Structures are given as C-alpha cells and as structure tokens.
Amino acid sequence: MAKVTRLTPVGGGKQPARGLPRPLEQVREHVRGRAATLLSDMLDGADDTLFDLAEKETDSERDRYFDAMRELRIQRAGIEAGFRQALDNLFQGVVREPEAAETVSDRVDVENLSLVKHDELEISVALDNLARRARQGCDDALGVLRHRLEYLFEGQRPVTEKTNPLEPRNLAACFAACLERLQLDIRARLIVLKLFERVVMDEAGALVSEANQMLADAGVLPDLKSVPVGRPRQMGARSGPGRDQDADASIRQNETASAGEAGAAAGNDQMFGLLQELLTTLRGLGGAASASGTPAAGGVPAAPTPSSGMAVMYNGVPYMDGAPLAADARVESLSTRDLFGMLTRLQRLEQALEGPEQSERNVREELSELLDSEHGEAIHALEQADDDVINLVSMLFDFILDDDGLPSEIKALIGRLQIPLLKVAIADKTFFSNDSHEARLLLNMLARAGSQWDPQQGRDDELFQRIEGAVHAIIDDYDEDAGLFRALLDDFDRYFSAQRDRAERVAERVREAEEGAARAEQAGEAVQAYIDTRLAGRSVPDVVVRLLSQGWQQVLYLTWLREGEDSDAWRRQTKVVDALIWSVLAPRDQAALAKLRDLAPKLRRALEHGLESIEYDVVERRAVLDDLARVHEALLEGLETERVTVPRVARQEAPRAEAERPLLAEDHERVVAARQLRAGQWLELGYGEEAQRVKLAANLRDGAKLVFINRRGIKVREYEARELGTALEAGDARLIEDGALFDRALEAVIGDLRRRHDG
C-alpha cells in the first residue's frame, strides 16, 4: 500500500499555476463547498459523538476522547482551512505538468519505507481501508469521471487514480494532512479518522456522481454512461503489447472468483494491477531492447530478470529476454494449474528443511530444472500474470530476508515459506491488496514474534519452537486449503497473546518498581537540594543542622512523595524551615525580639507535630526541641550561642572514564528520539553472537532513566537518554521494527519499482 502523506500547498514556486477549464472549475467550487460543509458538520457533532463514546469507556480510556474533543475545538479553524486548501491542490494537480504533479503515491519517502514508524503505518493502513470502503459502489462512476476529464483536456493530460481529484484515496489524503495538526496519540487519531469516514467519506460516491452530472450538463460527453472498452490509462500504464494479456488475466481471475469473494476481487484488481503496471514499465513497453541489443518485435517487454531457461507468454507468443522465440522452437506453455502443481512438488523438498539457502533461492530456475527433469528439454513458458506474481513474491522475500529486525535464524525459517506463499498469491491475487488475508496476518505474527526472540535463548526456547512448528505445518500441509493459515493463526495468536500478557504483567511490575525507586530518588534529591539551599553558607546553632538534616528532612521527603512539590502540605513544611532558620538568627532590634517571642512556641509546636507524623524517635524529638528552646531563650536574653557554618555543596556530574565515548548533545535528533521512546519498544544491543534483544519497560522522567528487560521480564540494562542516543548513533544499539513485516515489504517493493521506473 502507498503511504499517505501531506499534500503541499500550490504556489511553492516549482511550477506556475495554470487555470482550470471552466467546467472543471465549477466542479471544484461545488466539491470544495460541499466537502467543507460535510467537514464542518462532522466537527459540529464531534463533541456529542466523542462524549457519548467516552461515557462507555474506563477512566483511563475516557481521557483519549476528551483530548480529541479539546484538540478539535482548538484546531478547528486550521483544520477547515487546510482541508479546503488541500482540495484545491487536488484539482490544480490535474493541470500541472506530469513531472511536477506531486500526488499521494509519488510523495512516499521510498528511501525510508523500511523504517516506517508503527504509528504512521497504522494511520496509513486506516486511510487505505477507509478509501477502499469509500470506493465501493462508485468504481464505474470514477472511471466515467476520469474519461470525461481526459476528454476535457483533449488527451493532453492523462488522468489516473493518482491525479483524479475525487479519487477517495486522495480525498482521504486531504484530511491526513489536517490530522497532523492534532497533538493526539495514535488511538485518538484513529477515533477522529473514524468520525471523518462516517460523515465525510460516506458521501464520496455522491460527490463523484454530482461531478459527473455537472460535467455532462456543461456538455462534456453528456451521453456517456459507462467507460468505453478502451478505458483511460491508470496508474502510469502505457499502451503496448502485453496490456490485453493483463486484461485477459484479470478477466480469467474474476471468472474464477467465488461470489463471496467478489468484493475482495475488486480491491485486488487495483493493487495487483498497479504492481503489474509497474513491472510492465520496467520491461520497457514501447520498444524494449532484446538480449541481442535489437528492439523486441512490437515493443514486447524485456524480462526484468536474467534468463532462467523459461519463457513468458505475451499475446500468445513466447518471449525470452525480450525477444520472440523462433517459430520452430519447441515451446510448452505452463498453465496456472500446472504451475501450482509444480510448486507443490518443490514445496515437498522443503519438508525436511533441506532446500537451498534462502538468500540464493531462484524459484524460476528451480522450476526450470524440475520441468526439464520431468518433461524433457522443451522450453517452458509461463503466463504473464504468473510470471509477475513470481517476480513480486521474490522481491517481497528479498526485503524480508534483508530486514535487520529479524535474527538470522528466524529469517531462515520464514524464508522457507516463499513457495507456499507464492502458491497463495497465484491462487488468490487479493493476497497483495487484502491486509486481512490470513496468510499475511500469519506471516506478520511470526515475524513479530521472531523479532522478540533472542538468539542467546537458543533454539530450544519455546518461542522459537512454536515459530518453527508453524513453518513446518505450512510446508508439510498446505496445498490449496487456505483455511490452514487461519487455524495456525488462531493457534499461534492464543499462544503469543498469553506470552505477551504474561510479559506485560512482568514488565508492569518492573515498571512500578522502577518508577517507585525513581520517584524516591527524585524526592530525596529535591529535599536535599532544598535544605542545602537554605543552610548553605549560613552560621547557625548545631541543633538546627541536626533537626533539618535528620528529622525534618524525613518530613519533607514523605510530603514530597505523598503530596508532591506543588501541594499545600509541601509549602507549609517548607515555611517551617524558613521560620526555623529566621528564628535562630541574631535579632537586631526590639521588634525582631518581640516577633521571636511570639513565634518561638508556635514554631516548636509545628516542629513537634511534623516529627510526630513520621513517628520520629520520642527521646530524640524531645531532646532536639529542648535544645531549640534553649537557643531561643538565649537569643531573647541577648546572649551569644554556639554556631557552626554550613559549607556550600558543589553539585557536579560524576567524572566519566577517559575511554568512554563523549555523549551527544541534549538536542541531537538521536537523543530526542530516545527521550520519546514508549514502553514496549524493542532494541538490539551489541553485535553478532553477543547481540541481545531487550524491551523498554519504563521511560522515567522523559528519558532520565530508560529501563530495559528481556522477554522473560528480567531487568537487563538502564540508559539515560543521552547515553542511549549516543549508542544508537554509534550503532551499538539498534531499534527493532516489530510491526507488520509483509506490509513494510510491500511498501518497499512498490517504492523500489517506482524509483526504478522514474529513474
């Protein structure tokens, strides 16, 4: 899926804005007004809706809804203005030069697709699902609209799903930009997104129909009811040999889909069609060079991979390395059903987990060798759609096996699933578009579990055994029944959920203990710092030093822990400190003596009450208060008292070893990222066989103390944000992405194909 990102306002200086044709300008004004009204209605009713939802939640969850209510109120004006601007950008994008028209899909940061944060991925998936649901029922109307727009521009501006201003995916992107304004956690953002879907995106089909009617009324193909057979190009498609073959493959696929899968098949056409078109452009449609260096006849695509002894059928003609085979060549076409059967035979070789090294696997070569051994030396030719699926699955597994988030032992296991998942994709093309597909969900769960397995725990560890068992079950038992993936998914989910719940309970206990210890440490430091600032450099009777540094320090400590430093109790206790120190200073005049005479008994009662509250030793309490009374009496009589001067305490950081690496600055991006880590984030520490996988159990005081545990809940390491940021920068520590592996792999493949196509 494509990652949805912010649409940049027009007028950034890259391209001069061009005027819209009058009919399209009218459509823009209508859509902008109608959509803005819908968004306003959503925001008007958001308070009531969110409040009703909050009433059904627990106290901890209720805050999310209230936070969302507050943010929507505060940011409302900016959201509405940004939404209108983004809608204008969509329409303006139709008239910009193709190379300048930045669209939702083009703006993906393909260089960093493998590093997509989990929250961003959740938003991306939610937007993708939202757009897909909004598209249901209006696919034909969108096709008619695209055709009318291309007619309006006299064929000079190809209108694709990426540049169609009313494509639901692009409308959703407009709100995605507005969503970035809200300072909310991921769950609250998803709640707001759901409100947008209910009120605004539910009307997407109506907006498309109204736009079509306005263009028809303006004389733009007024009699057009459906898309002509030669429908407009989509998603960067080019004309040329091979497109009819793609269409035939799509028709055959839809014919074999069951009635219950019809809705999924429609979504399938979009994603698989996009992937096929990207592969088609790489083959060089419109005049690709053959292996010999001469143009392939009719512009037939050159194979994107080295020859494996297998050909590919284009419009009934076998091609190898971009060139048609000689008419007298002995060619045997391999049907999809036959291909499935040959893959099943290759899968049997995996049953003992003794197949080739996964990093060196070439399924096409393995198929060719197996076919040669069983059917002689004829050249075997794959259907184009099947060849595309083999290419795509191979690219997906290349990404998976290069993923740094998985230990090599887990990658070796998951790599064994390439052929079974290739069979799944051949049998069901919704594998690429349906993010709820059981096989994808199982792969993601195995990868998530595998990212938490520490090689130091050994292969006898229960988690490793479970992952290995699931892989064995797929290799041994999967033929055509996809229900196996659901059964394995449910079984593994129960196990992994139980393990996760247990780990969370252990982590919670560690977190509570560490938070308690950190709070106690913080309280001790705050109290000591307060007393030091009051006494430092002063000359006071010894009884005051004893009283504050022993008994009253405990009073302040417990008050800070129980009530906090902003409480009335803390302010009262600190006033006692100030009064005590003032009371032992040598009075200079009669007014000060009179004030001391009135204050002294009240002060001693306050001290006694505070010391009693902490059950301070009775004998020591009486002794220290008696000593204080004698000091007060001496001062009232004008006598000198014995005093000690309290030295100033120089506070500084502990010296660091010379060999230790200098820490990064507080504002370094790595340090900032470390400070913002959430509990549950996994890290890998060290290198090679010494590498250790740990999970963040507690982030205390915004990175002042980061506590890491292993999968069993044992505390392993502590960091301060600057220390961890420095380790991340040096590569001594690495963040582990344990999110949806298949989805990240698919994003990376799409990004790589686009990058190669644009280059």
Side-chain angles (χ1 to χ4, degrees):
M1 80 190 77
K3 175 185 169 187
V4 181
T5 56
R6 179 185 293 276
L7 294 175
T8 305
V10 176
K14 290 184 179 180
Q15 289 287 336
R18 297 190 181 187
L20 297 174
R22 182 60 183 166
L24 186 55
E25 186 177 343
Q26 292 174 340
V27 170
R28 180 189 65 182
E29 293 304 312
H30 173 75
V31 169
R32 184 171 59 177
R34 182 106 150 75
T37 300
L38 290 171
L39 180 64
S40 180
D41 292 343
M42 169 208 148
L43 295 172
D44 286 341
D47 271 12
D48 291 340
T49 303
L50 290 169
F51 186 82
D52 291 342
L53 291 171
E55 287 294 293
K56 303 173 185 177
E57 296 291 343
T58 61
D59 289 341
S60 60
E61 292 295 319
R62 194 171 295 143
D63 289 343
R64 283 196 172 91
Y65 294 93
F66 292 144
D67 288 344
M69 291 164 62
R70 182 179 65 255
E71 279 293 302
L72 287 177
R73 290 192 203 118
I74 294 173
Q75 300 290 348
R76 175 165 184 163
I79 290 172
E80 291 182 322
F83 189 64
R84 289 192 296 270
Q85 179 64 65
L87 288 173
D88 282 345
N89 293 347
L90 288 180
F91 282 90
Q92 196 62 45
V94 182
V95 298
R96 273 180 279 169
E97 293 298 329
E99 63 271 15
E102 295 178 283
T103 60
V104 174
S105 299
D106 294 330
R107 303 281 315 273
V108 176
D109 183 4
V110 295
E111 298 294 338
N112 295 306
L113 277 171
S114 62
L115 302 177
V116 174
K117 294 180 179 178
H118 179 70
D119 287 359
E120 292 177 353
L121 184 60
E122 281 202 60
I123 291 292
S124 177
V125 170
L127 287 169
D128 188 65
N129 291 336
L130 175 157
R132 186 165 57 247
R133 287 190 291 268
R135 210 178 195 281
Q136 291 176 358
C138 66
D139 189 56
D140 290 341
L142 282 166
V144 170
L145 179 62
R146 287 195 300 271
H147 197 75
R148 280 196 166 106
L149 293 178
E150 287 200 336
Y151 178 84
L152 188 62
F153 287 104
E154 299 179 349
Q156 299 301 310
R157 289 288 183 274
V159 179
T160 69
E161 288 180 6
K162 295 190 294 182
T163 57
N164 185 350
L166 292 187
E167 178 65 37
R169 191 182 305 273
N170 296 336
L171 293 175
C174 293
F175 190 68
C178 304
L179 201 63
E180 295 177 10
R181 295 175 176 270
L182 306 180
Q183 299 298 316
L184 298 173
D185 65 18
I186 180 62
R187 292 190 61 184
R189 286 174 182 269
L190 293 174
I191 291 166
V192 174
L193 199 58
K194 190 65 178 177
L195 291 179
F196 177 76
E197 178 179 9
R198 289 179 181 176
V199 179
V200 182
M201 291 303 292
D202 277 359
E203 296 297 318
L207 290 175
V208 176
S209 297
E210 292 163 7
N212 269 316
Q213 188 60 52
M214 291 181 70
L215 291 175
D217 292 344
V220 181
L221 299 178
D223 298 324
L224 181 65
K225 302 299 182 184
S226 61
V227 180
V229 175
R231 65 183 304 167
R233 292 165 292 185
Q234 297 180 13
M235 304 296 282
R238 303 179 186 177
S239 61
R243 296 302 304 149
D244 293 340
Q245 182 78 9
D246 289 344
D248 292 342
S250 177
I251 292 171
R252 288 196 301 274
Q253 173 189 321
N254 290 335
E255 288 175 346
T256 57
S258 65
E261 296 172 338
N268 156 43
D269 289 344
Q270 276 190 298
M271 178 58 73
F272 185 60
L274 162 67
L275 293 168
Q276 281 192 297
E277 287 162 6
L278 288 173
L279 286 171
T280 298
T281 59
L282 292 181
R283 294 190 186 99
L285 281 175
S290 70
S292 62
T294 58
V300 175
T305 56
S307 173
S308 63
M310 298 189 72
V312 180
M313 300 295 294
Y314 297 105
N315 293 328
V317 178
Y319 284 80
M320 184 178 290
D321 294 333
L325 294 175
D328 58 352
R330 182 186 169 193
V331 178
E332 292 185 6
S333 178
L334 191 65
S335 69
T336 298
R337 172 54 57 186
D338 290 339
L339 173 62
F340 197 93
M342 298 305 293
L343 289 172
T344 298
R345 296 183 193 179
L346 286 178
Q347 182 179 324
R348 297 293 177 252
L349 300 177
E350 298 287 341
Q351 289 186 343
L353 294 184
E354 296 176 351
E357 289 294 328
Q358 301 307 307
S359 60
E360 301 174 359
R361 160 151 271 167
N362 187 317
V363 173
R364 194 177 277 97
E365 286 185 359
E366 293 178 44
L367 277 171
S368 181
E369 292 174 2
L370 184 61
L371 286 165
D372 289 345
S373 65
E374 295 187 3
H375 301 285
E377 296 299 326
I379 298 175
H380 302 279
L382 295 170
E383 295 292 336
Q384 181 186 346
D386 293 337
D387 181 64
D388 287 339
V389 172
I390 291 175
N391 280 330
L392 291 169
V393 172
S394 176
M395 295 174 72
L396 288 169
F397 271 84
D398 284 345
F399 174 88
I400 290 170
L401 296 177
D402 283 340
D403 185 32
D404 293 334
L406 292 174
S408 58
E409 294 88 343
I410 299 298
K411 286 194 282 192
L413 284 176
I414 291 179
R416 300 288 178 181
L417 297 178
Q418 181 170 350
I419 288 180
L421 291 184
L422 175 55
K423 290 168 60 179
V424 170
I426 287 174
D428 180 7
K429 301 301 188 299
T430 63
F431 178 71
F432 296 104
S433 62
N434 181 10
D435 50 16
S436 298
H437 196 289
E438 286 87 350
R440 285 177 59 167
L441 293 176
L442 180 60
L443 178 62
N444 285 336
M445 179 165 288
L446 293 177
R448 184 175 295 112
S451 69
Q452 300 177 14
W453 176 74
D454 193 330
Q456 293 187 5
Q457 295 165 358
R459 293 172 180 252
D460 292 334
D461 179 74
E462 183 181 10
L463 180 60
F464 184 89
Q465 292 291 319
R466 286 275 184 166
I467 297 172
E468 186 176 46
V471 172
H472 270 290
I474 295 170
I475 293 172
D476 293 346
D477 301 331
Y478 173 65
D479 189 10
E480 297 186 51
D481 182 12
L484 172 66
F485 292 98
R486 170 51 63 184
L488 289 172
L489 179 64
D490 291 342
D491 181 63
F492 200 91
D493 185 46
R494 284 190 295 270
Y495 163 76
F496 194 51
S497 294
Q499 292 287 305
R500 187 171 55 247
D501 291 345
R502 173 190 166 280
E504 281 302 315
R505 289 193 298 270
V506 174
E508 183 63 27
R509 289 195 292 271
V510 172
R511 187 158 48 247
E512 290 174 355
E514 291 294 334
E515 287 174 351
R519 186 168 172 78
E521 180 182 354
Q522 189 178 7
E525 291 175 353
V527 170
Q528 188 63 55
Y530 179 80
I531 292 176
D532 287 345
T533 58
R534 291 298 185 270
L535 287 178
R538 292 186 182 276
S539 182
V540 296
D542 179 67
V543 63
V544 174
V545 178
R546 285 192 292 120
L547 203 159
L548 290 181
S549 62
Q550 297 175 20
W552 205 252
Q553 185 181 40
Q554 293 300 310
V555 174
L556 292 173
Y557 175 78
L558 292 176
T559 301
W560 197 101
L561 282 178
R562 294 168 179 169
E563 307 291 339
E565 59 183 338
D566 295 326
S567 65
D568 291 337
W570 172 263
R571 283 188 285 271
R572 287 195 302 271
Q573 309 294 16
T574 54
K575 284 181 180 179
V576 172
V577 175
D578 293 336
L580 174 61
I581 293 174
W582 179 88
S583 73
V584 297
L585 298 178
R588 293 186 297 272
D589 52 35
Q590 290 301 316
L593 287 173
K595 182 177 179 181
L596 174 60
R597 187 175 290 106
D598 180 62
L599 174 66
K602 297 177 182 178
L603 175 60
R604 291 195 295 271
R605 283 196 298 272
L607 289 166
E608 184 172 18
H609 178 73
L611 294 173
E612 284 180 350
S613 70
I614 64 169
E615 299 182 357
Y616 195 66
D617 182 77
V618 177
V619 175
E620 177 63 20
R621 183 175 73 228
R622 288 175 181 171
V624 75
L625 291 177
D626 288 344
D627 288 346
L628 179 61
R630 284 190 285 273
V631 170
H632 287 161
E633 291 171 2
L635 291 172
L636 289 170
E637 294 174 3
L639 302 176
E640 293 292 333
T641 58
E642 292 185 5
R643 295 172 179 268
V644 295
T645 300
V646 181
R648 296 185 181 276
V649 179
R651 297 183 176 276
Q652 59 184 14
E653 292 186 8
R656 306 182 63 83
E658 290 185 8
E660 193 169 352
R661 182 184 296 110
L663 297 181
L664 297 175
E666 288 284 355
D667 59 352
H668 192 281
E669 62 179 353
R670 289 285 195 180
V671 177
V672 173
R675 194 178 294 120
Q676 296 173 348
L677 288 181
R678 297 182 180 182
Q681 173 65 54
W682 285 83
L683 257 68
E684 184 176 64
L685 307 177
Y687 303 91
E689 296 181 357
E690 300 299 322
Q692 190 173 24
R693 297 199 165 217
V694 296
K695 181 174 71 171
L696 179 61
N699 181 343
L700 308 176
R701 290 180 285 162
D702 293 325
K705 188 177 184 181
L706 300 161
V707 182
F708 290 91
I709 60 176
N710 63 19
R711 188 167 58 86
R712 293 185 171 89
I714 300 172
K715 181 178 173 181
V716 174
R717 186 71 182 265
E718 287 183 7
Y719 281 105
E720 182 268 332
R722 291 179 66 197
E723 293 174 339
L724 181 56
T726 303
L728 290 170
E729 180 71 12
D732 296 336
R734 291 162 296 284
L735 296 176
I736 294 175
E737 173 60 67
D738 66 344
L741 178 63
F742 184 93
D743 303 279
R744 288 190 288 119
L746 188 58
E747 285 182 341
V749 167
I750 293 174
D752 183 56
L753 288 173
R754 284 196 179 122
R755 188 165 59 249
R756 290 159 62 187
H757 165 256
D758 294 340

